[in-house]
């Protein structure tokens, strides 16, 4: 994944442990849930909620955006990046299907998909069936025999709300009129209920994990950039660097911490593919970072992180990954990237 990690999650978990034993000192680990409107639990008993971080660090807390929403049109139509793969799911999207008067040229749908992107804070997607019986994104050369569109029912901005649903339905009716087609609309109440249920489900699964490295002295931006390059990380802007898989998927990021002598590594759990071993890779990077600067791995209270605590967190994260997969939201999958965003 070559995009930025989620910019300000909307809910922070508030669990913490004050036990003084080594077993309760996974203090460099913090779980931050992203979906608004429901409580969330940390992935480990030792885990504590991360303090709000600046957007560059990929964590923080902000109010749910329930203000006036509108469907956003792009300045110009352009072909979607994923031409061959559909993203809509009955589990996560409110989907409507158009009744077409006849086949349509694919370029018309490509134009629509490029111009109509969102309803409020929720992304929209159009998909076609060219007669194969499979839904996918449109290509300019396609012949469209069936057409559907969907709006995501929940993301880290919270569940789909009444304003966003109304905007979606109105826009779909306008599209139908433009295409000489008809389209039905589901009842609002059941859709919003499904949206709230999806948001609550995702809140239980969402987590961002933090590791801190205390340095003997503050690093200048130039020193930090040199360190990040030596660690093999890619620059992401705003003094933030990232580790990517060979396919360009984001594993974890490294940024200057809240304290002047602190570096922070962040793992956005639902967005990092489990098969790439992001936790193990991030811990190894943190250790290498500490070795290079003469620092140490610590928790948010400045206590050293122990090996047993790291191992326990790894087991707990493994269970969280299994839970995501069982919910149909496999970490790093296109569906998870849409919902946990």
């Amino acid at each position: 994944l070559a995009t930025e990690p989620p910019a300000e999650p909307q809910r922070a978990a508030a669990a913490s442990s004050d036990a003084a034993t080594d077993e309760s000192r996974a203090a460099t680990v913090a779980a931050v849930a992203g979906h608004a409107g429901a409580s969330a639990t940390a992935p480990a008993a030792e885990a504590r909620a991360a303090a709000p971080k600046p957007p560059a660090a990929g964590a923080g807390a902000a109010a749910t955006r329930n203000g006036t929403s509108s469907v956003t049109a792009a300045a110009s139509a352009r072909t979607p990046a994923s031409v061959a793969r559909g993203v809509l799911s009955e589990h996560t999207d409110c989907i409507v299907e158009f009744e077409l008067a006849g086949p349509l040229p694919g370029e018309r749908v490509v134009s629509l998909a490029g111009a109509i992107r969102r309803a409020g804070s929720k992304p929209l997607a159009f998909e076609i069936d060219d007669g194969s019986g499979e839904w996918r994104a449109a290509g300019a050369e396609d012949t469209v025999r069936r057409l559907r569109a969907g709006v995501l029912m929940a993301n880290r901005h919270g569940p789909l709300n009444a304003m966003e649903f109304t905007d979606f339905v109105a826009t779909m009716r306008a599209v139908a009129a433009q295409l000489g087609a008809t389209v039905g609309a589901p009842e609002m109440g059941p859709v919003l209920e499904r949206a709230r249920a999806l948001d609550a489900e995702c809140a239980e699964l969402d987590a961002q994990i933090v590791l801190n490295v205390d340095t003997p002295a503050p690093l200048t931006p130039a020193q930090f950039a040199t360190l990040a390059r030596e660690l093999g990380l890619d620059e992401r802007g705003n003094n933030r660097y990232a580790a990517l898989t060979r396919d360009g998927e984001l594993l974890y990021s490294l940024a200057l911490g809240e304290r002047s002598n602190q570096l922070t590594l962040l793992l956005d759990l639902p967005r990092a593919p489990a098969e790439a071993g992001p936790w193990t890779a991030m811990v190894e990077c943190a250790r290498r970072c500490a070795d290079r600067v003469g620092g140490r791995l610590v928790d948010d209270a400045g206590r050293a992180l122990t090996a047993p605590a790291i191992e326990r967190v790894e087991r707990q994260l493994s269970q969280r990954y299994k839970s995501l997969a069982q919910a149909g939201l496999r970490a790093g999958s296109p569906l998870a990237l849409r919902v946990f965003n």
Side-chain angles (χ1 to χ4, degrees), residues 163-243:
M163 181 72 74
E164 291 168 332
F165 175 84
T166 300
D167 285 346
F168 170 66
V169 171
T171 301
M172 294 304 100
R173 287 174 174 162
V175 168
Q178 181 181 345
L179 297 176
T182 59
V183 66
E187 294 184 13
M188 180 188 296
V191 171
L192 299 188
E193 184 176 349
R194 288 171 58 205
R196 289 190 292 270
L198 176 63
D199 182 61
E201 176 186 20
C202 292
E204 293 297 320
L205 298 171
D206 203 354
Q208 293 179 329
I209 313 303
V210 170
L211 289 175
N212 294 317
V213 176
D214 268 3
T215 61
L219 299 183
T220 66
Q223 290 171 327
F224 180 54
T226 299
L227 172 65
R229 285 194 297 268
E230 291 174 349
L231 294 171
L233 304 179
D234 291 350
E235 185 176 3
R236 311 300 285 169
N238 296 320
N239 289 320
R240 189 163 60 88
Y241 297 81

Side-chain angles (χ1 to χ4, degrees), residues 36-330:
S39 62
T41 56
E46 305 85 44
R48 58 191 298 272
K53 303 200 180 292
T64 304
R65 301 179 185 179
N66 287 329
T68 303
S69 59
S70 62
V71 176
T72 304
S76 61
R78 54 189 181 274
T79 303
S82 57
V83 172
R85 196 172 194 178
V87 297
L88 296 178
S89 165
E90 294 289 347
H91 181 201
T92 58
D93 298 271
C94 171
I95 301 172
V96 297
E97 185 170 350
F98 296 85
E99 293 291 336
L100 303 178
L104 294 173
E107 60 184 350
R108 293 195 67 182
V109 178
V110 170
S111 179
L112 285 171
I116 304 173
R117 297 282 186 169
R118 310 185 74 83
S121 65
K122 306 302 183 294
L124 291 167
F126 289 87
E127 293 181 352
I128 69 161
D129 175 8
D130 60 1
S132 67
E134 296 183 357
W135 292 106
R136 60 180 180 82
E141 304 302 320
D142 288 324
T143 297
V144 179
R145 302 192 182 280
R146 297 169 65 205
L147 174 66
R148 70 177 186 175
V151 60
L152 190 65
M153 291 191 296
N155 58 12
R156 282 172 168 163
H157 295 284
L160 184 75
N161 61 42
M163 181 72 74
E164 291 168 332
F165 175 84
T166 300
D167 285 346
F168 170 66
V169 171
T171 301
M172 294 304 100
R173 287 174 174 162
V175 168
Q178 181 181 345
L179 297 176
T182 59
V183 66
E187 294 184 13
M188 180 188 296
V191 171
L192 299 188
E193 184 176 349
R194 288 171 58 205
R196 289 190 292 270
L198 176 63
D199 182 61
E201 176 186 20
C202 292
E204 293 297 320
L205 298 171
D206 203 354
Q208 293 179 329
I209 313 303
V210 170
L211 289 175
N212 294 317
V213 176
D214 268 3
T215 61
L219 299 183
T220 66
Q223 290 171 327
F224 180 54
T226 299
L227 172 65
R229 285 194 297 268
E230 291 174 349
L231 294 171
L233 304 179
D234 291 350
E235 185 176 3
R236 311 300 285 169
N238 296 320
N239 289 320
R240 189 163 60 88
Y241 297 81
L244 307 176
T245 68
R246 291 180 179 179
D247 296 328
E249 297 170 309
L250 180 66
L251 285 180
Y252 57 86
S253 62
L254 172 68
L256 295 173
E258 291 183 332
R259 301 194 301 270
S260 61
N261 66 328
Q262 182 186 79
L263 305 177
T264 296
L265 295 96
L266 175 71
L267 165 59
D268 195 345
L269 189 74
R271 298 181 64 84
E275 57 272 19
W279 170 249
T280 300
M282 188 170 80
V283 170
E284 176 60 24
C285 181
R287 286 171 170 158
R288 291 170 56 206
C289 182
D291 288 343
R292 287 176 182 271
V293 300
R296 61 181 189 137
L297 294 182
V298 299
D299 63 20
D300 287 342
R303 297 172 301 196
L305 182 67
T306 64
I310 291 175
E311 292 172 0
R312 282 194 303 277
V313 171
E314 182 174 10
R315 291 193 297 269
Q316 291 154 353
L317 295 186
S318 177
Q319 182 56 52
R320 181 63 64 93
Y321 273 123
K322 290 179 182 177
S323 298
L324 283 162
Q326 290 167 356
L329 297 169
R330 182 177 55 82

